[in-house]
């Protein structure tokens, strides 16, 4: 005996989320580096949607060191001046309300910045009047000490370093 039965199979379409196909690797730069631009057009894909229609946004865990933004399909990683540290960048891809994240780390290494004078030297004096110049300077490297010295001085000029980027040059 053989029994036959007929039935209908209905396949319900499911909207698959986008996926990361080419993850952005972690990377390192030196403090004050030029911005890094990354093409995102091949980072994500979605079998249900045209890749060009996937919306992408970026966020940084540490915007005081690194900011990130997406325009069209380009990610711009912007390094903040005189800042070092680490930031986790999250790129979120959205396709038809479904999302996926690509997460990578950016390490910004400190460089030894040259100190800068913040005072202007007194270059005109009146004969037989005392000369005095309050010197000030700044070092952007937070943990550096700053002292003001001169390799040679004329015998009539005194220089007193007050520490922390402050000194006085004078004669009388």
């Amino acid at each position: 005996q053989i029994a036959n039965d007929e039935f209908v199979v209905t396949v319900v379409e499911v909207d698959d989320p986008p996926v990361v196909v080419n993850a952005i690797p972690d990377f390192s730069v030196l403090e004050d580096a030029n911005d890094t631009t990354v093409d995102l057009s091949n980072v994500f894909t979605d079998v249900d949607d045209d890749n060009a229609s996937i919306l992408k946004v970026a966020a940084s865990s540490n915007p005081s060191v690194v900011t990130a933004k997406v325009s069209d399909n380009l990610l711009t990683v912007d390094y903040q001046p005189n800042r070092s540290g680490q930031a986790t960048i999250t790129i979120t891809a959205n396709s038809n309300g479904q999302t996926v994240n690509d997460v990578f780390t950016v390490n910004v290494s400190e460089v030894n910045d040259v100190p800068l004078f913040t005072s202007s030297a007194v270059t005109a004096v009146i004969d037989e009047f005392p000369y005095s110049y309050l010197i000030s300077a700044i070092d952007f490297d937070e943990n550096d000490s700053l002292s003001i010295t001169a390799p040679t001085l004329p015998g009539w000029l005194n220089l007193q370093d007050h520490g922390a980027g402050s000194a006085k040059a004078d004669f009388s």
Side-chain angles (χ1 to χ4, degrees):
Q1 294 189 340
I2 296 178
N4 287 329
D5 193 9
E6 290 185 25
F7 58 92
V8 176
V9 176
T10 304
V11 178
V12 178
E13 185 177 355
V14 174
D15 187 14
D16 295 309
V19 295
V20 177
V21 290
N22 293 303
I24 301 169
D26 297 345
F27 61 91
S28 298
V29 297
L30 294 176
E31 172 187 321
D32 300 326
N34 291 327
D35 293 355
T36 300
T37 304
V38 179
D39 184 356
L40 299 176
S41 59
N42 292 314
V43 174
F44 304 96
T45 191
D46 186 347
V47 297
D48 303 318
D49 202 358
D50 177 21
N51 288 350
S53 67
I54 299 173
L55 300 174
K56 299 155 191 99
V57 294
S60 171
S61 67
N62 193 352
S64 67
V65 174
V66 176
T67 62
K69 68 179 178 179
V70 176
S71 179
D72 297 320
N73 261 332
L74 292 178
L75 166 68
T76 301
V77 181
D78 181 19
Y79 312 105
Q80 302 308 295
N82 298 310
R83 301 294 299 190
S84 60
Q86 186 178 73
T88 300
I89 307 298
T90 302
I91 310 300
T92 302
N94 184 321
S95 179
N96 294 323
Q98 306 257 5
T99 62
V100 67
N101 292 328
D102 183 18
V103 179
F104 61 96
T105 301
V106 177
N107 290 300
V108 180
S109 300
E110 182 177 22
V111 296
N112 189 11
D113 293 308
V114 176
L116 298 174
F117 284 100
T118 56
S119 58
S120 298
V122 177
T123 58
V125 297
I126 299 173
D127 191 23
E128 297 188 23
F129 277 84
Y131 171 84
S132 181
Y133 166 37
L134 299 176
I135 304 167
S136 62
I138 188 169
D139 189 339
F140 292 103
D141 299 320
E142 294 174 7
N143 296 322
D144 285 358
S145 62
L146 181 57
S147 60
I148 298 174
T149 61
T152 59
L153 285 174
W156 49 265
L157 185 62
N158 300 311
L159 177 66
Q160 300 101 22
D161 178 36
H162 300 148
S166 174
K168 182 178 181 182
D170 63 10
F171 76 90
S172 49

